[in-house]
Amino acid sequence: MRIAIIGGGPAGLMAAESALAAGGTVELFDAMPSLGRKFLLAGRGGLNLTHSEPTDAFLARYGSRRRQLEPLLTAFGPEQVRAWAAGLGIETFVGSSSRIFPVDMKAAPLLRAWLRRLRQSGLTVQVRHRWDGWEGNQLRFVTPDGVRLVQAEAMVLALGGASWPKTGSTGGWVPLLRDRGVEIAPLKPANCGFDVGWSEFFRTKFAGQPVKTVGLVAKGVDGEVLRRQGEFVITERGIEGGVVYAVAACLRDVIDAHGKATLRLDLAPDRQLPRLIADLAQPRGKRTVATQLKRRAHIEGVKSGLLRELLPKDVFNDPQRLAPAIKSLPLTLTAARPLAEAISTAGGVRFEALDERLMCRKQPGLFFAGEMLDWEAPTGGYLLNACFASGRIAGAGAAAWANEQAGA
């Protein structure tokens, strides 16, 4: 039984691993010259494999797709990810944010150990093979040496979404699958930044600076209120990073529905409003407003700049108006940044079109894994864990399907 895995990221590699464990003859194809490019790029700041928070909170991070992903993540969740990494000789630890990392924080050693074990288990790898659909019942690949046709009893597509296209995740698979009748939700940016429309002064002075620590309040299309605390970064066009990604899906959907979204910032999350009013009402004498903000509210630098950017001048002389603004500063977002800039992709192959093994009901023998599927989650290890878990299920399902066909 020959199984083709198309896509050499974490979902595709995990699919190959589980298919090999089931006794399949597995060949993995990737369009790029080497495997795991987005995986390596994601690990530059420290490879966040998964998260150690309680199970219910962990599963809640998958939002509307929790029900579909829960069986996958129950079978291969944070504990299993850590055990799997240990089996590759990669020890992990729980960081102060409850995120789980390799001890050396690097992606490359894990990827090398993983590929070595896969090849020792019999995996055949073909790089510079761009999947181009089907020709009859055969898979069609475009290679430097021309078109190559491949016959396989089952195939797993793990081609990623459409974010970070330089790593090979281009979303070029969408029209190929739609032509075959596969149901696909539109691809959208997830874990993305947003446009604000700063003044030239603010953009020039503060672009690239982090805003620490703030509270965020975002209201969803359905009226749900999300509250998060953390930090983010001012960009040339708006905001991105950290806590913004945690509410990005909500903000994106509001912008899609209404053309803009309002995010409220708490620039002094460690102070209650009555105390802040009292502190700012203290006589400032000859001190400037900037000095008073710094001394009485610990507001300076980029936080002070945000207040100047977003509030009328007369507010600064009235503690009864200034303090509430510091605690709930409205920031209007006009657009999500383009999908190519996003950390991850929302949308993709709908779970409703798949069975419990992630096989397409309309295309028996065709399985899907990873970011190609219609789900999203915030950063923090949730993305990688779901890619691992879905790859594991799809690879095992493909092997089982091929066995069933061989015995039919």
Side-chain angles (χ1 to χ4, degrees):
M1 54 175 181
R2 189 178 190 185
I3 301 163
I5 312 289
I6 303 178
L13 293 173
M14 191 61 80
E17 181 165 293
S18 60
L20 286 165
T25 299
V26 184
E27 192 167 9
L28 186 145
F29 303 86
D30 196 273
M32 304 301 284
S34 59
L35 304 182
R37 292 201 165 196
K38 188 174 181 181
F39 183 74
L40 292 172
L41 191 57
R44 283 186 177 178
L47 182 64
N48 186 190
L49 287 169
T50 184
H51 203 287
S52 67
E53 67 187 345
T55 299
D56 191 63
F58 181 84
L59 293 172
R61 303 294 186 178
Y62 297 92
S64 63
R65 288 304 191 184
R66 170 178 175 161
R67 182 177 64 82
Q68 290 84 4
L69 289 169
E70 186 166 344
L72 284 61
L73 293 163
T74 299
F76 200 77
E79 290 185 9
Q80 290 82 5
V81 169
R82 298 190 74 181
W84 166 80
L88 292 170
I90 305 296
E91 296 303 315
T92 56
F93 73 99
V94 179
S96 58
S97 62
S98 297
R99 299 181 180 197
I100 295 173
F101 301 89
V103 169
D104 65 3
M105 301 291 286
K106 297 178 181 178
L110 187 151
L111 182 60
R112 284 195 299 268
W114 195 6
L115 290 174
R116 182 167 56 249
R117 188 169 74 181
L118 287 170
R119 288 190 168 102
Q120 289 170 351
S121 298
L123 178 65
T124 300
V125 175
Q126 305 290 349
V127 295
R128 294 188 174 90
H129 277 58
R130 179 175 60 82
W131 180 61
D132 194 35
W134 290 265
E135 191 164 312
N137 291 323
Q138 295 181 302
L139 301 171
R140 177 186 170 92
F141 294 92
V142 177
T143 80
D145 298 322
V147 172
R148 179 185 172 192
L149 302 180
V150 174
Q151 186 71 45
E153 283 70 44
M155 65 180 290
V156 178
L157 286 180
L159 290 162
S163 60
W164 296 7
K166 64 182 180 181
T167 66
S169 299
T170 65
W173 47 268
V174 172
L176 298 175
L177 293 176
R178 281 192 173 142
D179 286 347
R180 303 280 286 203
V182 178
E183 298 174 40
I184 301 171
L187 303 186
K188 298 179 180 182
N191 293 296
C192 58
F194 293 89
D195 290 343
V196 173
W198 303 123
S199 67
E200 181 65 19
F201 172 81
F202 184 86
R203 181 189 64 79
T204 301
K205 186 173 179 64
F206 294 110
Q209 292 196 24
V211 183
K212 307 178 183 181
T213 295
V214 296
L216 296 190
V217 178
K219 189 174 184 180
V221 175
D222 59 0
E224 180 185 9
V225 176
L226 299 180
R227 302 178 187 275
R228 301 288 187 269
Q229 186 167 307
E231 60 185 73
F232 64 90
V233 175
I234 302 296
T235 69
E236 292 274 341
R237 294 179 175 271
I239 59 175
E240 68 178 18
V243 71
V244 170
Y245 296 156
V247 295
C250 166
L251 296 170
R252 179 201 64 219
D253 292 346
V254 170
I255 291 172
D256 286 347
H258 302 295
K260 62 181 180 179
T262 299
L263 182 64
R264 292 195 170 271
L265 310 178
D266 182 352
L267 301 181
D270 59 336
R271 295 196 183 200
Q272 296 298 313
L273 180 59
R275 178 189 167 190
L276 188 59
I277 293 174
D279 288 341
L280 292 174
Q282 294 291 322
R284 63 183 175 92
K286 295 182 179 180
R287 288 191 295 270
T288 64
V289 171
T291 301
Q292 181 80 337
L293 278 169
K294 180 179 179 180
R295 181 175 180 179
R296 299 298 184 186
H298 300 156
I299 299 291
E300 59 182 318
V302 65
K303 286 187 176 181
S304 179
L306 281 166
L307 292 174
R308 297 287 185 183
E309 177 77 358
L310 300 172
L311 296 178
K313 290 183 179 180
D314 61 316
V315 172
F316 290 88
N317 293 315
D318 184 352
Q320 295 289 337
R321 296 169 65 195
L322 180 57
I326 290 172
K327 294 294 291 180
S328 185
L329 184 66
L331 180 63
T332 300
L333 312 178
T334 58
R337 295 299 300 155
L339 178 50
E341 296 179 15
I343 299 296
S344 58
T345 305
V349 177
R350 296 184 186 275
F351 280 94
E352 291 77 9
L354 310 177
D355 67 13
E356 69 281 357
R357 299 187 296 188
L358 302 182
M359 183 176 77
C360 183
R361 292 189 174 93
K362 291 184 177 179
Q363 300 287 329
L366 175 59
F367 296 76
F368 297 95
E371 252 187 280
M372 288 186 74
L373 297 168
D374 178 22
W375 63 279
E376 61 181 309
T379 57
Y382 310 105
L383 295 168
L384 261 182
N385 202 148
C387 285
F388 290 144
S390 60
R392 183 175 175 272
I393 292 293
W401 167 262
N403 272 325
E404 291 164 9
Q405 301 314 297

